[in-house]
Amino acid sequence: MPSPIASLTPFARRCLAAGASLMMLGVMLGAFGAHALQAQLTPRQLSSYQTGVQYQMLHAFGLMIVGIVAQVTGVTPRLRWSARLMAAGIVFFSGSIYLMTAGASRSLGMVAPVGGISFMAAWALLAWHALSKPSS
C-alpha cells in the first residue's frame, strides 16, 4: 500500500512544503516581534510588523489549501498561478513591511500594494477554479 505522502503530486508537495515553511517562518517572526522588537519599535511600527506576520501566515495557509485542492481536483493553470501569487504576495506585502520595520526607506511601502493585489488575484483564481466545471 503506497504511503499517502508518496501519492502527492509534485505540485501539491511543493505547495504544502512551501506553505508549512512560510508558516514556521511566520511563527518565528511573530515571536521575534513580540519579544525582541517590542521594546525597539513604536506601537505603530509594531502593529505594522504584526500585520505583515498575520498576512504571511494567512497566505502561507492559503498556499497549503491550494496544494490540497490541486491534489483533490488536479493541477490547473489557475491553481499554479494562485500559488505563485500567494507566494509573491508574501514577499511583496509582508517582506516590504519587514524591511521598513528594519529601517528601510518608507518609499518601499509602495511595494506593499503589489503584494495586496497578488493576494486578491490568488484568492480570485482559487475561487474561479472552485466554480469551474471539471474538464472531461
Side-chain angles (χ1 to χ4, degrees):
M1 178 176 196
S3 159
I5 296 295
S7 65
L8 286 175
T9 66
F11 178 77
R13 185 184 318 274
R14 285 191 305 272
C15 286
L16 290 167
S21 297
L22 287 165
M23 287 288 274
M24 178 186 67
L25 181 61
V27 171
M28 292 166 56
L29 290 169
F32 179 71
H35 298 290
L37 294 180
Q38 193 167 21
Q40 308 296 322
L41 301 176
T42 66
R44 183 175 177 180
Q45 288 173 311
L46 187 59
S47 175
S48 181
Y49 181 87
Q50 290 169 336
T51 298
V53 171
Q54 179 182 10
Y55 273 69
Q56 175 177 332
M57 294 188 68
L58 176 63
H59 291 89
F61 187 66
L63 187 54
M64 292 189 301
I65 290 170
V66 169
I68 292 166
V69 169
Q71 182 67 26
V72 172
T73 66
V75 181
T76 65
R78 286 185 290 270
L79 289 178
R80 287 190 189 283
W81 276 105
S82 181
R84 289 176 186 137
L85 289 167
M86 286 210 192
I90 291 169
V91 170
F92 290 120
F93 184 83
S94 297
S96 66
I97 291 173
Y98 299 148
L99 290 172
M100 287 187 300
T101 302
S105 170
R106 300 296 298 167
S107 64
L108 191 59
M110 293 186 291
V111 173
V114 174
I117 291 167
S118 296
F119 289 148
M120 289 183 272
W123 289 111
L125 287 166
L126 182 57
W128 184 13
H129 175 83
L131 294 171
S132 296
K133 292 182 178 159
S135 58
S136 306

